[in-house]
Amino acid sequence: MSKPILLLLPLLLSGCVSLDPHYDRPDGAVSLHAPRGEAYRDLPDATADYRAIRWQDYVLDARLRQVVAMALDSSRDLREAVANVKSAHAQYGEQRADLFPSLSADLSGTRARTLSGAGNQTALSSSYSAEGSVSAFELDLFGKNQSLTRQQYETYLGTLEGARSTRLTVLYNTVSYWLQLAADRSNLTIAKETAQSAEQSLAVTRKRMESGVASMVDVSSAETTWQSAQADVASYTTSVAQDKNALDLVVGKSVPDALLPTDIDTLGRALRDVPAGISSETLQNRPDVLQAEHNLKAANANIGAARANFFPSITLTASGGVGSGDLSALFKNGAGIWSFAPSVSLPIFKGGYNVAYLNYTKAQKEYYVAAYEKAVQTAFQEVADALARRGTINSQLSSQRSNVAAAQTYAHLADLRYQSGVDTWLNALTAQRTLYSARTDLVTVQQAYYQNLITFYKVMGGGTALTAAERPM
């Protein structure tokens, strides 16, 4: 047998069969029909491909766009996710190396003086060899290493999808905290204006009591309103500070004041309004759903590796080269040397380990099937919830704005009637509280409107491609 054929023998024998079960994507976890009901009545029929919309084209506010860019660059959550992707890619490369023989080149020499014949006669001997060798290469006849490599590759792809999901979550959280800060700043302004108005009303009521027109009950009621507003000022001041801290945490660094929102009324078209709906393609291509499917495929490949444990394993150790007693003649007149040492190992008794491990891998596949179906169901529920909110938010926002306008008129007229002595302080106090509640409720609805827009971008898997810098080499 010639030396080249000897060294190539492992490669020639490395063809294998796969014992992986046939993979079919689970279906039927949910009905993909569009949800029906009053909440969905006014929704458009057209659906945009959110995955093709870059976040830079979806976030329209210049300040918010800079904050999101800072978060994607500095977020520790995203750095952890990218590091996990690189680790999984390295582990895949490590496992894939088992598909190939380990080749090594060895150069060795021995020079010794030993006893020869009778007496103390000695002889000087030397030997030199140069060999190329394949050490303990396992022929993958039953696809065990192929299955383990597929398992690691699918794990790597799942980790990559997890990083895409983390990226989208970082974007979503950044926008959400920024909107929360805008809302609480608006609420703080409303609380301060209400406290100032209540303080003025308290002063007027005290003068009226001194003139004998108002009673102590009116003064106490006015002071109650003022103290309540003062408490709200303190509460919202705390909320604004905590919102800023939360925003700094998700961004990964302190956000400059120039990039913070003034209030929620001045946001305008901070986010793009894009038609949305439910489709199977959208749900199945969300990063979290793709991650669940890759985990399922990895579990499927692991069954193939477990099945291969029941079959014999064949390992080859081979070497070939030249040898000579003279180092200078090693590569010129050296004699050819070779060795070939195959071995076969047949599993006979392992105390039930192989059977137990196969059952474990099958159970793991059942687990990941359920996890995949749950991921699809969760995706459907999140999109349906966002659609329900989309279908009613504009009507609620319009009604709440009208409610604020009516409450302002009511408060103005009630105060005039009280100042003129036509009506009681109780009605004026009720009108003030109604206006305060209406204004804070409007802020909540405005926040819900913007929150729904960024929620859609998240649940539809918007702009989930990783940048070139985030992809592992």
Side-chain angles (χ1 to χ4, degrees):
M1 181 182 297
S2 65
K3 287 178 285 185
I5 295 297
L6 179 65
L7 294 177
L8 289 175
L9 183 60
L11 294 176
L12 296 175
L13 296 178
S14 60
C16 66
V17 295
S18 174
L19 298 179
D20 296 0
H22 177 71
Y23 174 77
D24 289 311
R25 172 187 285 173
D27 56 8
V30 294
S31 172
L32 293 178
H33 296 296
R36 299 177 181 178
E38 289 293 322
Y40 308 99
R41 184 178 57 187
D42 298 328
L43 293 172
D45 295 330
T47 300
D49 185 5
Y50 274 73
R51 291 176 298 142
I53 303 175
R54 302 185 315 152
W55 71 263
Q56 294 93 334
D57 298 325
Y58 195 80
V59 178
L60 304 180
D61 187 281
R63 296 167 300 175
L64 180 55
R65 191 182 292 132
Q66 293 183 60
V67 174
V68 171
M70 290 172 58
L72 296 180
D73 179 64
S74 303
S75 171
R76 301 310 189 268
D77 290 337
L78 189 54
R79 290 182 184 181
E80 288 180 4
V82 173
N84 285 336
V85 171
K86 293 179 180 179
S87 298
H89 186 264
Q91 289 178 321
Y92 160 63
E94 180 182 351
Q95 180 61 53
R96 187 171 181 269
D98 288 342
L99 298 177
F100 305 96
S102 176
L103 303 178
S104 61
D106 302 300
L107 180 63
S108 62
T110 301
R111 187 174 178 82
R113 183 179 293 277
T114 59
L115 291 173
S116 63
N120 294 325
Q121 298 294 323
T122 62
L124 185 65
S125 63
S126 61
S127 64
Y128 303 92
S129 64
E131 296 179 276
S133 63
V134 175
S135 177
F137 174 63
E138 181 178 355
L139 297 182
D140 201 20
L141 298 179
F142 302 100
K144 179 179 180 180
N145 289 335
Q146 288 280 3
S147 295
L148 291 175
T149 299
R150 275 192 294 273
Q151 187 258 344
Q152 282 292 345
Y153 182 64
E154 293 296 340
T155 299
Y156 156 66
L157 293 180
T159 308
L160 183 61
E161 294 299 335
R164 296 172 66 201
S165 182
T166 300
R167 176 185 172 88
L168 189 56
T169 299
V170 168
L171 188 154
Y172 171 82
N173 288 339
T174 301
V175 175
S176 294
Y177 287 128
W178 196 83
L179 292 174
Q180 184 64 54
L181 178 58
D184 282 337
R185 282 189 163 184
S186 291
N187 285 327
L188 178 58
T189 299
I190 294 171
K192 287 181 177 179
E193 292 174 355
T194 301
Q196 183 179 5
S197 175
E199 187 176 16
Q200 293 173 354
S201 297
L202 176 60
V204 171
T205 305
R206 281 174 174 168
K207 290 182 180 180
R208 290 172 61 85
M209 185 189 70
E210 293 172 358
S211 302
V213 178
S215 66
M216 191 61 189
V217 174
D218 294 339
V219 174
S220 298
S221 297
E223 185 170 4
T224 299
T225 302
W226 176 62
Q227 294 292 355
S228 177
Q230 287 288 89
D232 286 346
V233 168
S235 176
Y236 285 122
T237 300
T238 301
S239 295
V240 167
Q242 291 175 342
D243 293 342
K244 176 62 166 57
N245 294 337
L247 182 62
D248 289 344
L249 177 61
V250 73
V251 169
K253 61 174 65 174
S254 180
V255 179
D257 291 341
L259 300 182
L260 300 178
T262 305
D263 53 46
I264 205 162
D265 291 320
T266 58
L267 293 186
R269 293 189 66 230
L271 299 170
R272 186 175 167 186
D273 192 344
V274 180
I278 292 182
S279 68
S280 59
E281 183 180 5
T282 297
L283 298 183
Q284 291 170 353
N285 285 281
R286 278 185 21 156
D288 56 333
V289 175
L290 289 175
Q291 182 180 15
E293 184 173 13
H294 285 305
N295 290 339
L296 173 57
K297 289 180 178 179
N300 191 70
N302 212 23
I303 293 177
R307 287 174 173 175
N309 288 335
F310 290 90
F311 295 89
S313 63
I314 302 175
T315 57
L316 300 180
T317 299
S319 65
V322 292
S324 173
D326 186 0
L327 180 61
S328 62
L330 178 63
F331 295 104
K332 294 181 179 179
N333 300 314
I337 58 175
W338 61 269
S339 68
F340 179 59
S343 66
V344 179
S345 176
L346 179 64
I348 297 177
F349 178 73
K350 284 192 174 184
Y353 171 83
N354 287 343
V355 174
Y357 184 68
L358 178 60
N359 291 337
Y360 167 76
T361 59
K362 290 180 178 180
Q364 283 294 101
K365 182 179 179 180
E366 293 176 3
Y367 168 83
Y368 284 112
V369 167
Y372 173 78
E373 292 176 342
K374 183 178 180 180
V376 174
Q377 291 174 345
T378 300
F380 182 88
Q381 181 251 328
E382 290 177 350
V383 174
D385 286 349
L387 283 172
R389 178 76 283 195
R390 174 69 65 89
T392 58
I393 189 63
N394 288 323
S395 175
Q396 185 178 357
L397 188 58
S398 176
S399 298
Q400 193 59 41
R401 283 171 176 160
S402 298
N403 184 34
V404 170
Q408 287 173 335
T409 302
Y410 173 35
H412 176 68
L413 294 177
D415 185 65
L416 288 179
R417 287 171 61 84
Y418 173 69
Q419 297 294 340
S420 302
V422 178
D423 210 343
T424 64
W425 169 249
L426 180 60
N427 286 338
L429 180 61
T430 301
Q432 288 182 4
R433 291 173 176 172
T434 299
L435 176 59
Y436 179 69
S437 178
R439 293 181 66 187
T440 55
D441 286 347
L442 177 59
V443 170
T444 300
V445 178
Q446 288 173 313
Q447 182 184 1
Y449 169 78
Y450 291 113
Q451 191 68 42
N452 179 252
L453 295 179
I454 192 59
T455 297
F456 251 111
Y457 193 72
K458 179 178 184 290
V459 301
M460 299 292 282
T464 49
L466 286 173
T467 63
E470 293 166 336
R471 292 185 181 278
M473 299 299 292

